[in-house]
Amino acid sequence: MDDALVEEACVVGQDLPQPLALVRLTRGLAADKVTLGRLQVLFESVNETLPATERLGCLVIVKSAWDIAGGFRTPTLKLRRNVVEATYHRHFQYCWSAARVLFWRRVTHERHLASAFGY
């Protein structure tokens, strides 16, 4: 996913009918309604270029850093997909069924998902 909105992305899809993309916004970019609208357009335009079997079920904005300290990267800065998948796997089915841009947020020490446009 090559766009100025997205700093990094990880496409996952284990046990899902369609893959989904976990994305981190470009540093300093707020997840406001304008940005979320632009991400929805990006999501739809990416899907238009893919065969039906490879289209993304949804795009999920992840706020937390994928860094070495958190265990998401190796010392050579390679992304550890197994850590990404293990961290978010229990919510993949819910994400996939939304079929739009979602925002992952932390509230009172418990992670949950909320619709980006209802946030």
Side-chain angles (χ1 to χ4, degrees):
M1 195 171 289
D2 185 24
D3 192 271
L5 296 168
V6 177
E7 185 169 318
E8 32 185 7
C10 183
V11 176
V12 295
Q14 185 177 1
D15 302 326
L16 294 174
Q18 298 288 146
L20 58 91
L22 301 169
V23 299
R24 292 192 54 247
L25 295 180
T26 300
R27 192 177 309 256
L29 192 62
D32 57 21
K33 290 200 182 248
V34 172
T35 300
L36 297 174
R38 290 175 56 201
L39 281 169
Q40 184 67 34
V41 170
L42 175 64
F43 167 67
E44 291 167 3
S45 67
V46 166
N47 272 345
E48 287 174 4
T49 67
L50 298 171
T53 57
E54 295 177 12
R55 289 189 180 136
L56 299 172
C58 76
L59 185 137
V60 182
I61 303 165
V62 178
K63 191 173 181 180
S64 61
W66 293 343
D67 55 18
I68 295 172
F72 286 92
R73 294 206 179 271
T74 67
T76 58
L77 301 180
K78 293 178 185 172
L79 187 63
R80 291 181 169 155
R81 291 182 55 84
N82 62 326
V83 175
V84 172
E85 289 186 7
T87 301
Y88 303 106
H89 186 265
R90 65 188 175 124
H91 298 289
F92 286 172
Q93 193 65 41
Y94 171 81
C95 295
W96 178 82
S97 66
R100 65 176 183 267
V101 176
L102 298 172
F103 183 69
W104 183 281
R105 64 181 177 168
R106 180 180 287 271
V107 175
T108 62
H109 307 293
E110 184 178 340
R111 290 184 176 167
H112 72 283
L113 292 167
S115 167
F117 300 101
Y119 179 72

